[in-house]
Amino acid sequence: MNISEIAELFGIKITSAEKIKSGHINQTCLVTADNGERYILQSINSQVFRRPETIMANIALAEKAFSVSETGMVKLPHYLTADDKNYAAADGKIWRIYSFAESKSNEKNLYFTGLSFGTFIRLMSGVKLAEEPAIDNFHSYRTYLARLEKMTDSVEMVRYRKLGNLLESVFTDNACRRVIHGDAKTANVIIGDYCTIIDLDTIMPGLSLYDFGDSIRSSAVTVDETEKDLSIVDIDMELYENYTKGF
Protein backbone atom coordinates (compact mmCIF):
# COMPACT_ATOMS: atom_id res chain seq x y z
CA MET A 1 0.00 0.00 0.00
CA ASN A 2 1.20 3.52 -0.72
CA ILE A 3 1.06 6.43 1.73
CA SER A 4 -2.27 7.69 0.40
CA GLU A 5 -3.89 4.28 0.80
CA ILE A 6 -2.58 3.92 4.32
CA ALA A 7 -3.93 7.37 5.26
CA GLU A 8 -7.34 6.34 3.90
CA LEU A 9 -7.42 3.53 6.48
CA PHE A 10 -7.80 6.33 9.04
CA GLY A 11 -10.51 8.08 7.07
CA ILE A 12 -8.52 10.89 5.47
CA LYS A 13 -7.48 11.71 1.93
CA ILE A 14 -4.13 13.38 1.54
CA THR A 15 -2.95 15.83 -1.09
CA SER A 16 0.77 15.80 -0.23
CA ALA A 17 3.33 13.84 1.77
CA GLU A 18 6.82 14.85 2.84
CA LYS A 19 9.35 12.55 4.49
CA ILE A 20 10.76 13.83 7.78
CA LYS A 21 14.43 12.98 8.23
CA SER A 22 14.97 14.30 11.76
CA GLY A 23 13.85 11.06 13.47
CA HIS A 24 16.18 8.08 13.70
CA ILE A 25 13.82 5.24 14.58
CA ASN A 26 10.40 5.36 12.93
CA GLN A 27 9.57 6.02 9.26
CA THR A 28 7.81 9.40 9.40
CA CYS A 29 5.93 11.59 6.92
CA LEU A 30 4.22 14.95 7.25
CA VAL A 31 0.99 14.67 5.28
CA THR A 32 -1.63 17.24 4.33
CA ALA A 33 -5.28 16.21 4.09
CA ASP A 34 -7.71 17.53 1.51
CA ASN A 35 -9.26 19.80 4.18
CA GLY A 36 -5.88 21.45 4.83
CA GLU A 37 -5.21 19.71 8.15
CA ARG A 38 -1.69 18.37 8.64
CA TYR A 39 -0.79 15.09 10.30
CA ILE A 40 2.20 12.94 11.16
CA LEU A 41 1.99 9.50 9.55
CA GLN A 42 4.40 6.92 10.95
CA SER A 43 5.25 3.25 10.79
CA ILE A 44 6.63 1.88 14.05
CA ASN A 45 10.09 0.32 13.89
CA SER A 46 9.44 -3.20 15.18
CA GLN A 47 13.18 -3.87 15.52
CA VAL A 48 13.34 -1.28 18.29
CA PHE A 49 9.78 -1.51 19.59
CA ARG A 50 8.96 -5.21 19.59
CA ARG A 51 5.51 -4.70 21.14
CA PRO A 52 3.94 -1.96 18.98
CA GLU A 53 0.41 -2.87 20.07
CA THR A 54 1.47 -2.35 23.71
CA ILE A 55 2.91 1.05 22.82
CA MET A 56 -0.29 2.14 21.14
CA ALA A 57 -2.41 0.86 24.04
CA ASN A 58 -0.35 2.98 26.44
CA ILE A 59 -0.66 6.01 24.17
CA ALA A 60 -4.45 5.54 24.13
CA LEU A 61 -4.46 5.50 27.93
CA ALA A 62 -2.39 8.69 28.04
CA GLU A 63 -4.63 10.47 25.56
CA LYS A 64 -7.67 9.46 27.62
CA ALA A 65 -6.08 10.72 30.84
CA PHE A 66 -5.40 14.10 29.25
CA SER A 67 -8.88 14.31 27.74
CA VAL A 68 -10.62 14.07 31.11
CA SER A 69 -8.28 16.37 33.04
CA GLU A 70 -7.51 20.08 33.20
CA THR A 71 -4.19 20.19 31.39
CA GLY A 72 -3.71 23.94 31.00
CA MET A 73 -1.50 24.63 28.05
CA VAL A 74 0.02 21.12 27.95
CA LYS A 75 -1.44 18.77 25.35
CA LEU A 76 -0.84 15.45 23.63
CA PRO A 77 -1.32 14.86 19.89
CA HIS A 78 -4.67 13.43 18.86
CA TYR A 79 -4.38 9.99 17.26
CA LEU A 80 -6.85 9.07 14.56
CA THR A 81 -8.45 5.65 14.60
CA ALA A 82 -8.93 2.83 12.11
CA ASP A 83 -11.56 0.23 13.03
CA ASP A 84 -11.70 1.68 16.57
CA LYS A 85 -7.96 1.33 17.13
CA ASN A 86 -5.36 4.10 17.17
CA TYR A 87 -3.24 2.16 14.68
CA ALA A 88 -3.61 0.04 11.56
CA ALA A 89 -1.68 -2.96 10.27
CA ALA A 90 -0.60 -2.81 6.62
CA ASP A 91 2.18 -4.45 4.63
CA GLY A 92 3.53 -6.16 7.73
CA LYS A 93 3.91 -2.87 9.63
CA ILE A 94 2.00 -0.99 12.30
CA TRP A 95 0.98 2.50 11.14
CA ARG A 96 -0.45 5.46 13.04
CA ILE A 97 -1.43 9.01 12.26
CA TYR A 98 -1.73 11.93 14.66
CA SER A 99 -2.23 15.67 14.61
CA PHE A 100 0.76 17.79 13.64
CA ALA A 101 1.96 20.35 16.20
CA GLU A 102 3.77 23.37 14.76
CA SER A 103 6.57 25.02 16.70
CA LYS A 104 6.34 28.79 17.02
CA SER A 105 9.47 29.35 19.07
CA ASN A 106 13.11 28.69 18.26
CA GLU A 107 14.27 29.60 21.76
CA LYS A 108 15.24 27.00 24.36
CA ASN A 109 12.60 27.54 27.02
CA LEU A 110 13.14 24.91 29.67
CA TYR A 111 10.40 26.30 31.90
CA PHE A 112 7.78 25.06 29.45
CA THR A 113 9.66 21.80 28.91
CA GLY A 114 9.66 21.21 32.65
CA LEU A 115 6.01 22.22 32.89
CA SER A 116 5.11 19.75 30.16
CA PHE A 117 6.85 16.71 31.59
CA GLY A 118 5.83 17.55 35.15
CA THR A 119 2.21 17.84 34.01
CA PHE A 120 2.50 14.52 32.19
CA ILE A 121 3.68 12.69 35.31
CA ARG A 122 0.96 14.32 37.43
CA LEU A 123 -1.89 13.48 35.05
CA MET A 124 -0.70 9.92 34.50
CA SER A 125 -0.62 9.19 38.22
CA GLY A 126 -2.73 6.12 38.91
CA VAL A 127 -3.07 5.11 35.26
CA LYS A 128 -2.52 1.37 34.86
CA LEU A 129 -0.46 0.67 31.76
CA ALA A 130 -0.16 -2.53 29.80
CA GLU A 131 1.73 -5.14 31.83
CA GLU A 132 4.48 -5.64 29.26
CA PRO A 133 7.04 -2.81 29.04
CA ALA A 134 7.43 -0.95 25.76
CA ILE A 135 11.15 -1.78 25.77
CA ASP A 136 12.72 -4.33 28.13
CA ASN A 137 15.28 -2.87 30.58
CA PHE A 138 15.14 0.53 28.89
CA HIS A 139 16.20 2.33 32.09
CA SER A 140 18.36 -0.45 33.53
CA TYR A 141 21.90 0.81 34.16
CA ARG A 142 23.10 -2.74 34.85
CA THR A 143 21.85 -3.93 31.47
CA TYR A 144 23.81 -1.25 29.60
CA LEU A 145 26.85 -1.84 31.79
CA ALA A 146 26.81 -5.57 31.01
CA ARG A 147 26.72 -4.81 27.29
CA LEU A 148 29.64 -2.40 27.66
CA GLU A 149 31.70 -4.95 29.62
CA LYS A 150 31.44 -7.33 26.66
CA MET A 151 32.94 -4.65 24.42
CA THR A 152 35.82 -3.30 26.50
CA ASP A 153 38.02 -3.96 29.52
CA SER A 154 38.96 -0.29 29.90
CA VAL A 155 40.07 0.93 33.32
CA GLU A 156 37.04 3.24 33.16
CA MET A 157 34.89 0.18 33.85
CA VAL A 158 35.90 0.35 37.50
CA ARG A 159 34.34 3.81 37.74
CA TYR A 160 31.21 2.68 35.92
CA ARG A 161 30.77 -0.27 38.29
CA LYS A 162 31.09 2.03 41.29
CA LEU A 163 28.50 4.32 39.74
CA GLY A 164 26.17 1.33 39.36
CA ASN A 165 26.57 0.50 43.05
CA LEU A 166 25.85 4.11 43.98
CA LEU A 167 22.72 4.24 41.82
CA GLU A 168 21.42 1.03 43.36
CA SER A 169 21.96 2.42 46.86
CA VAL A 170 19.95 5.54 46.01
CA PHE A 171 17.22 4.12 43.76
CA THR A 172 16.10 1.19 45.88
CA ASP A 173 13.02 -0.95 45.40
CA ASN A 174 11.26 1.36 47.85
CA ALA A 175 11.53 4.34 45.49
CA CYS A 176 8.16 5.61 44.28
CA ARG A 177 7.50 4.41 40.74
CA ARG A 178 5.22 6.42 38.47
CA VAL A 179 4.16 6.51 34.86
CA ILE A 180 6.80 8.56 33.05
CA HIS A 181 7.42 9.76 29.51
CA GLY A 182 10.71 7.89 29.30
CA ASP A 183 12.43 10.09 26.68
CA ALA A 184 12.09 13.54 28.20
CA LYS A 185 14.18 15.67 25.88
CA THR A 186 13.50 19.29 24.92
CA ALA A 187 12.94 18.21 21.31
CA ASN A 188 9.96 16.16 22.48
CA VAL A 189 7.98 19.22 23.55
CA ILE A 190 6.67 21.34 20.68
CA ILE A 191 6.07 24.90 21.90
CA GLY A 192 3.40 26.62 19.82
CA ASP A 193 -0.12 27.67 20.74
CA TYR A 194 0.19 24.89 23.32
CA CYS A 195 3.01 22.77 24.67
CA THR A 196 2.54 19.47 22.85
CA ILE A 197 4.39 16.41 24.16
CA ILE A 198 5.42 14.04 21.37
CA ASP A 199 7.35 10.76 20.99
CA LEU A 200 5.16 8.83 23.41
CA ASP A 201 6.53 5.38 22.55
CA THR A 202 8.53 5.06 25.78
CA ILE A 203 5.65 5.67 28.21
CA MET A 204 6.25 3.17 31.00
CA PRO A 205 6.56 2.82 34.77
CA GLY A 206 9.72 4.38 36.19
CA LEU A 207 11.07 7.05 38.49
CA SER A 208 10.25 10.70 37.90
CA LEU A 209 13.97 11.38 38.22
CA TYR A 210 14.50 9.49 34.96
CA ASP A 211 12.53 12.17 33.12
CA PHE A 212 13.98 15.01 35.16
CA GLY A 213 17.56 13.81 34.73
CA ASP A 214 17.19 13.08 31.02
CA SER A 215 15.89 16.60 30.41
CA ILE A 216 18.76 18.20 32.33
CA ARG A 217 21.37 15.94 30.73
CA SER A 218 20.19 16.68 27.21
CA SER A 219 19.15 20.32 27.54
CA ALA A 220 20.78 22.19 30.42
CA VAL A 221 24.40 21.34 29.70
CA THR A 222 26.86 23.84 28.27
CA VAL A 223 27.84 21.64 25.30
CA ASP A 224 26.04 19.29 22.95
CA GLU A 225 24.86 16.07 24.62
CA THR A 226 27.09 14.04 22.27
CA GLU A 227 30.29 15.76 23.48
CA LYS A 228 32.98 13.15 24.29
CA ASP A 229 35.36 15.44 26.21
CA LEU A 230 33.77 15.27 29.65
CA SER A 231 36.21 17.84 31.03
CA ILE A 232 34.30 20.66 29.29
CA VAL A 233 30.79 19.46 30.20
CA ASP A 234 29.01 21.63 32.75
CA ILE A 235 25.48 22.56 33.80
CA ASP A 236 23.95 25.93 32.89
CA MET A 237 22.34 26.76 36.25
CA GLU A 238 19.93 29.28 34.74
CA LEU A 239 18.52 26.63 32.40
CA TYR A 240 18.46 24.13 35.26
CA GLU A 241 16.48 26.49 37.48
CA ASN A 242 14.02 27.35 34.71
CA TYR A 243 13.31 23.67 34.11
CA THR A 244 12.92 23.01 37.82
CA LYS A 245 10.42 25.85 38.25
CA GLY A 246 8.23 24.41 35.50
CA PHE A 247 8.54 20.79 36.58
Side-chain angles (χ1 to χ4, degrees):
M1 300 180 74
N2 60 38
I3 292 297
S4 295
E5 292 171 330
I6 291 170
E8 288 181 4
L9 296 176
F10 296 90
I12 66 169
K13 295 184 178 181
I14 64 173
T15 58
S16 66
E18 175 186 352
K19 287 188 176 181
I20 295 178
K21 300 179 180 180
S22 57
H24 302 292
I25 297 178
N26 298 320
Q27 178 184 342
T28 305
C29 291
L30 173 62
V31 300
T32 302
D34 57 0
N35 63 358
E37 293 289 331
R38 291 189 291 173
Y39 299 92
I40 295 295
L41 177 62
Q42 282 183 327
S43 66
I44 301 177
N45 186 334
S46 60
Q47 296 301 310
V48 176
F49 301 109
R50 299 186 181 276
R51 305 183 186 100
E53 292 87 353
T54 296
I55 289 173
M56 297 311 299
N58 288 340
I59 290 175
L61 290 170
E63 191 171 357
K64 180 179 179 181
F66 269 69
S67 70
V68 298
S69 304
E70 177 52 52
T71 64
M73 64 182 302
V74 181
K75 306 291 183 184
L76 298 184
H78 172 58
Y79 285 74
L80 303 187
T81 58
D83 295 328
D84 297 323
K85 296 180 180 179
N86 60 351
Y87 65 90
D91 297 335
K93 298 179 180 180
I94 297 296
W95 294 85
R96 63 193 177 189
I97 187 167
Y98 58 87
S99 55
F100 173 70
E102 184 174 7
S103 174
K104 295 186 177 180
S105 174
N106 293 322
E107 297 181 6
K108 181 184 286 189
N109 194 322
L110 290 198
Y111 172 83
F112 289 112
T113 305
L115 176 66
S116 299
F117 290 124
T119 298
F120 181 89
I121 291 173
R122 175 174 59 82
L123 294 183
M124 293 297 290
S125 176
V127 174
K128 184 174 177 56
L129 300 179
E131 293 185 4
E132 295 179 317
I135 304 177
D136 293 321
N137 299 313
F138 187 56
H139 293 109
S140 170
Y141 181 86
R142 288 295 182 187
T143 297
Y144 295 116
L145 182 62
R147 293 175 184 172
L148 186 60
E149 286 178 324
K150 293 179 179 179
M151 300 169 61
T152 180
D153 58 356
S154 167
V155 294
E156 288 295 313
M157 293 305 301
V158 174
R159 185 159 63 97
Y160 297 151
R161 294 187 190 101
K162 289 182 178 179
L163 176 58
N165 294 334
L166 174 61
L167 291 173
E168 288 181 351
S169 69
V170 174
F171 303 119
T172 66
D173 292 338
N174 294 325
C176 180
R177 297 179 69 81
R178 311 170 188 270
V179 176
I180 63 172
H181 180 277
D183 191 18
K185 299 177 176 61
T186 300
N188 287 337
V189 176
I190 306 300
I191 300 176
D193 295 331
Y194 298 95
C195 295
T196 305
I197 305 173
I198 62 171
D199 280 11
L200 305 174
D201 296 335
T202 51
I203 295 174
M204 64 181 73
L207 304 179
S208 58
L209 280 175
Y210 293 164
D211 278 358
F212 185 92
D214 199 13
S215 289
I216 298 303
R217 175 199 61 80
S218 61
S219 308
V221 293
T222 55
V223 295
D224 187 87
E225 64 173 315
T226 59
E227 177 59 55
K228 295 182 179 180
D229 184 356
L230 301 184
S231 67
I232 63 174
V233 177
D234 201 357
I235 295 291
D236 184 321
M237 289 307 299
E238 182 177 355
L239 293 175
Y240 174 88
E241 291 170 1
N242 284 341
Y243 184 91
T244 303
K245 289 176 182 178
F247 193 84

